[in-house]
Amino acid sequence: HARAVAHRVRSVFDGREVDQVELIYTEFVSLGTQRPVVRRLTVAAALALPLLLGAQVALHQRDLVAARWPGSADLLAALCAPLHCSVQAPRSLDAVSVESSGLTRVEGAPLYKLQVAVRNRADWAVAMPALDLTLTDPRGEIVTRRVLRAAELGGGAPEALAAGAEWSTLATLDVGDRRVTGYTIDLFYP
């Protein structure tokens, strides 16, 4: 059918200075718009594609969407089931901070007590981050560096911090006979 259209276009404009590619394109477009089925399919695609794109974005950002609009959690979970994904509290380092912390030595033992309080400043629940703890000696050199997940710290650590909530714990650390004079705590998601 394409050859017939091309032949017809060439025969009509044979000998004239006309861009044949443009004419063929125009002929094909007009053939498509003359058929009601093609028009209906084009309109259906124009309506369906933005909806599918929106669904894809919502599925990709499902954790944040479910946290901000809790009514969508069931729908997102249903969409995730055949895709083997899950809806969880979103990870948001911008929303969590260490509110307070302290490190004290236990008398007569090579142990230190670490107190940490983590706050969620967001208006929705966020996943509990892990702690990157670095202990330093009097010269500022690293004595030890540890990744501490909330579950390892005890204190009934939640998987998610509720909106505006604070979680604190007290953990005991054994660093052997090395002297610790400083520390840093960074939050991150593994």
Side-chain angles (χ1 to χ4, degrees):
H1 188 60
R3 286 185 192 175
V5 170
H7 180 69
R8 195 173 94 196
V9 169
R10 277 192 204 126
S11 66
V12 170
F13 292 99
D14 198 23
R16 298 182 189 165
E17 297 282 328
V18 179
D19 185 7
Q20 291 183 2
V21 174
E22 183 178 345
L23 290 173
I24 293 170
Y25 172 77
T26 304
E27 183 71 21
F28 277 125
V29 169
S30 67
L31 283 176
T33 56
Q34 291 173 0
R35 295 183 180 162
V37 172
V38 174
R39 268 186 297 199
R40 287 186 194 121
L41 288 175
T42 304
V43 170
L47 295 174
L49 289 176
L51 292 174
L52 289 172
L53 178 63
Q56 183 178 3
V57 169
L59 196 58
H60 185 263
Q61 297 292 329
R62 64 188 172 276
D63 297 336
L64 186 58
V65 170
R68 286 191 159 179
W69 298 283
S72 67
D74 291 339
L75 175 63
L76 291 168
L79 288 173
C80 274
L83 301 173
H84 306 291
C85 61
S86 62
V87 178
Q88 302 172 346
R91 296 176 171 200
S92 178
L93 283 177
D94 294 337
V96 291
S97 63
V98 175
E99 284 294 303
S100 64
S101 65
L103 184 70
T104 56
R105 184 172 184 173
V106 175
E107 286 296 320
L111 303 174
Y112 288 83
K113 295 280 186 181
L114 175 68
Q115 177 276 325
V116 179
V118 178
R119 175 175 295 281
N120 175 10
R121 296 183 316 269
D123 294 333
W124 56 86
V126 297
M128 184 67 172
L131 303 162
D132 180 5
L133 174 67
T134 304
L135 303 176
T136 56
D137 65 12
R139 295 180 301 194
E141 294 181 9
I142 295 174
V143 172
T144 187
R145 186 173 181 193
R146 295 183 186 173
V147 171
L148 304 169
R149 297 178 189 257
E152 297 169 338
L153 292 171
E159 288 186 25
L161 283 171
E166 182 176 302
W167 174 79
S168 61
T169 190
L170 184 63
T172 303
L173 305 171
D174 185 353
V175 294
D177 60 350
R178 298 160 76 179
R179 186 167 178 231
V180 175
T181 58
Y183 70 97
T184 59
I185 299 174
D186 292 313
L187 300 175
F188 76 102
Y189 289 106

